[in-house]
Amino acid sequence: MRASLAATVEVRGDATVVHVAGSLGVSTAPVLRTTVLECLADEPALIVLDVAELRAHDDVALTVLPALAQHAAAWPGSSVSVAAAPALLRSALDRMAVARQIPLFATTDAAIAHGGAGAPGGEPQGMRARLQPMVDATAAARHLVDRACRAWGVARIADLAELIITELVSNGVRHARTDLEVRVALRHRQLHLSVRDGSPKLPVLGATGDTLAESGRGLLVVEALTHRWGCTPVPDGKVVWATLRAQ
């Protein structure tokens, strides 16, 4: 019988719960990965993986869990927890040292109650704006980022953050040509910048088509000046994001 896995999403305040059921193996791990990445596009403070109905078909496939947690930490600074693991699955998590990398809780409620309270940086803060793909979109995005940096006490990186968001928005205006959602968040002593658009075409670093005519730098600037950057596909397009150290 072919292994199968289902992942359903429940939003509970600032937390997103992903209920995972079935068999996790090499062939089914992409289902979980895709679901979690789609959840991250909404930038939740916490993602809880409820694995009460999950079986580990292959221990190696469990490495998808810390990989997703690392992605979430890089952007958008979300915490990831695992809850309600049955005894056999808990043993497999211990064997693969997953428990050393991701907090494990007895119940989903316990994971949500704990949240990111133990993480440095205090409560997450965020601002967002919807922009049309017009020339003045970059100016509006810079204003949003500058206001956020000054409000959150990280004005020293405001100029750099404005430069990065200019590159991200300019790329979206020129290539996606759809409405843009710009977000800026401060989590775990890192400033997270993102631009979501409606185009499925992913950017390619260094490609001629991704070099901005006005600067000639494009995404090369983003790579050179940020702590991390990347692109996360979502059902209606993609999110291009970048992270700066705030301290």
Side-chain angles (χ1 to χ4, degrees), residues 23 28 58 99 121 135 144 156 161 229 247:
S23 179
T28 59
D58 182 348
V135 174
L144 177 73
R156 69 179 185 81
W229 82 279
Q247 294 184 0

Side-chain angles (χ1 to χ4, degrees), residues 12-222:
R12 294 173 59 176
D14 290 334
T16 295
V17 181
V18 180
H19 300 276
V20 191
S23 179
L24 182 63
V26 174
S27 63
T28 59
V31 175
L32 177 59
R33 181 180 184 276
T34 298
T35 302
V36 172
L37 292 182
E38 290 176 1
C39 292
L40 288 177
D42 291 326
E43 304 193 13
L46 171 68
I47 290 183
V48 178
L49 303 176
D50 184 331
V51 296
E53 299 182 27
L54 181 66
R55 303 181 307 278
H57 179 72
D58 182 348
D59 280 8
V60 174
L62 292 172
T63 59
V64 71
L65 302 180
L68 289 171
Q70 291 171 11
H71 184 107
W75 175 83
S78 304
S79 301
V80 176
S81 300
V82 172
L88 288 177
L89 180 60
R90 180 62 183 259
S91 296
L93 292 171
D94 288 340
R95 286 195 300 273
M96 297 302 294
V98 172
R100 299 179 186 176
Q101 304 174 67
I102 303 178
L104 305 183
F105 295 90
T107 66
T108 296
D109 287 342
I112 293 175
H114 183 273
E123 292 297 318
Q125 304 177 79
M127 294 184 185
R128 70 179 70 185
R130 291 280 300 186
L131 304 175
Q132 294 184 329
M134 309 290 286
V135 174
D136 61 356
T138 54
R142 285 194 298 270
H143 176 72
L144 177 73
V145 169
D146 179 70
R147 182 160 56 92
C149 287
R150 297 186 187 286
W152 302 335
V154 292
R156 69 179 185 81
I157 63 169
D159 289 345
L160 177 58
E162 287 184 58
L163 172 61
I164 299 303
I165 202 65
T166 296
E167 300 291 356
L168 297 182
V169 171
S170 295
N171 212 50
V173 168
R174 186 178 184 195
H175 298 294
R177 300 178 183 176
T178 68
D179 285 352
L180 308 172
E181 182 176 47
V182 177
R183 296 192 187 191
V184 53
L186 182 66
R187 288 174 171 166
H188 309 329
R189 295 196 290 264
Q190 295 187 39
L191 189 72
H192 302 275
L193 308 170
S194 68
V195 177
R196 182 171 184 166
D197 64 53
S199 170
K201 184 178 179 181
L202 304 183
V204 178
L205 183 65
T208 302
D210 281 319
T211 300
L212 301 180
E214 65 181 10
S215 67
R217 297 169 297 179
L219 294 175
L220 293 173
V221 160
V222 177

